[in-house]
Amino acid sequence: MGCGQSSKDRKVVDGDAKEDKKIVEKKEEKPAVAKEAADVEKVEEKKAETKEAKVEVKTDTEPKEKEEVAPVVAEAKTTAPKVLIVYYSMYGHIEKMTESVAKGAKEAGAEVTIKRIPETLSEEVLKKMGAKDKLEEHKEATPDDLAQADAILFGIPTRFGMAAAQVKALLDQTGGLWQKGALMGKLAGVYVSTGTQNGGQETTMWTFLTQFVHHGMIFVPIGYSNEGLQNMNEPKGGSPYGAGCLAGPSGKRPPSALELEIAEHQGKYTAGIATKMLKNKQA
């Protein structure tokens, strides 16, 4: 048979070749399986990263929502007090003082309303007395106006050491408010005008306090909270009870710079106390 392979030998060779092929195929399968496992692992890692990112975003947004709510609550607690200034002025002195009182109250953050007390004298009598024209921009006060305010400042010219009759006439109309207790707990203050230093600066205020007492109002004197009250270098109105000006015997002396300064201080001082009271009520 020479050098040729027998059939038996060929079968052995073929069998060996098949085994070698299987081994190669198995070696090729292992990298494929490893690659598939690596791909699955990467997908899981990406899912985990996405989940963490969502958690981080949610955590970051939570404080912002709380920060946005806080200012709204704070604004609701800071309501400006309503300060009503009611005055009567025949020759313009109290009218001028009223401007300064209102300026001070506004600077303190109050919501200020100015009303003038209705006249009771006829035009004929006023003309004979040389009365000044009324400011039409200041509407006439009514008892209901008093009930809407948190604090009321009365501008009063004196008549023989007491409040002018026009002012008393307005208060005489508040019987209905008294029955309902509508003015109970409201702040009240007074500023005046007199002809001379001893012409009723304090008695005009004293005699008006009975109105506040019967209505259950809280009188707010200014004490010596303004240094101008202790100034002895010039004649001036004003006292620990409230601001004041000196009109002079003929009524021709206008309020001085010092008197207007004290009046402005009274407006600011009273509005400040009204603000504190409102905060305590809302707390």
Side-chain angles (χ1 to χ4, degrees):
M1 293 180 65
C3 295
Q5 291 179 327
S6 66
S7 60
K8 185 177 181 180
D9 292 335
R10 283 196 300 272
K11 286 180 180 178
V12 172
V13 172
D14 291 339
D16 293 340
K18 288 180 180 179
E19 290 296 327
D20 291 340
K21 186 176 180 182
K22 287 181 180 179
I23 292 170
V24 172
E25 287 176 353
K26 286 181 180 179
K27 288 182 179 179
E28 289 177 352
E29 286 176 1
K30 286 182 179 180
V33 172
K35 183 180 179 182
E36 185 177 351
D39 291 340
V40 171
E41 186 176 353
K42 287 182 179 179
V43 170
E44 293 297 325
E45 287 178 356
K46 287 183 178 180
K47 287 182 178 179
E49 289 175 358
T50 304
K51 188 175 181 180
E52 290 176 359
K54 287 181 179 179
V55 172
E56 290 176 359
V57 170
K58 186 177 181 181
T59 303
D60 291 340
T61 56
E62 285 179 356
K64 291 181 180 179
E65 292 176 356
K66 291 179 181 179
E67 290 173 3
E68 291 174 358
V69 173
V72 175
V73 175
E75 287 176 5
K77 289 186 177 181
T78 53
T79 304
K82 296 179 180 180
V83 175
L84 173 65
I85 304 174
V86 288
Y87 75 96
Y88 175 76
S89 187
M90 181 174 286
Y91 300 109
H93 298 84
I94 287 294
E95 182 182 278
K96 185 68 175 175
M97 294 279 284
T98 296
E99 295 175 3
S100 294
V101 173
K103 180 182 177 183
K106 288 177 182 177
E107 287 179 357
E111 180 184 323
V112 179
T113 302
I114 301 175
K115 292 289 183 76
R116 58 184 173 85
I117 294 173
E119 183 60 76
T120 59
L121 297 176
S122 66
E123 288 294 329
E124 182 181 359
V125 172
L126 291 172
K127 185 176 290 186
K128 290 180 178 179
M129 296 178 69
K132 179 182 177 295
D133 292 336
K134 310 296 183 185
L135 278 180
E136 294 301 325
E137 62 187 83
H138 295 161
K139 304 304 180 183
E140 291 188 344
T142 67
D144 288 338
D145 292 325
L146 306 180
Q148 303 304 316
D150 298 307
I152 308 169
L153 286 162
F154 293 86
I156 305 173
T158 189
R159 294 294 184 266
F160 306 107
M162 298 177 67
Q166 290 85 344
V167 181
K168 186 63 168 59
L170 175 65
L171 271 296
D172 285 348
Q173 299 174 51
T174 60
L177 298 180
W178 172 77
Q179 288 182 327
K180 294 184 292 185
L183 302 184
M184 292 282 287
K186 294 185 183 298
L187 303 185
V190 183
Y191 56 101
V192 301
S193 171
T194 64
T196 62
Q197 282 184 299
N198 299 310
Q201 285 281 316
E202 292 187 349
T203 60
T204 302
M205 298 183 186
W206 290 346
T207 53
F208 202 70
L209 291 184
T210 58
Q211 313 293 321
F212 304 151
V213 171
H214 281 264
H215 277 291
M217 302 177 77
I218 303 172
F219 176 56
V220 182
I222 60 174
Y224 285 95
S225 56
N226 184 275
E227 293 181 356
L229 287 167
Q230 300 187 48
N231 187 324
M232 299 294 291
N233 298 323
E234 61 178 278
K236 68 178 185 308
S239 71
Y241 296 90
C245 70
L246 307 177
S250 62
K252 294 181 179 179
R253 178 186 181 274
S256 67
L258 179 57
E259 290 168 339
L260 294 176
E261 176 192 325
I262 296 172
E264 182 178 334
H265 170 75
Q266 182 170 7
K268 185 181 296 185
Y269 183 81
T270 305
I273 294 177
T275 299
K276 291 179 182 178
M277 287 190 64
L278 279 182
K279 286 183 178 179
N280 289 334
K281 287 181 180 179
Q282 296 168 353

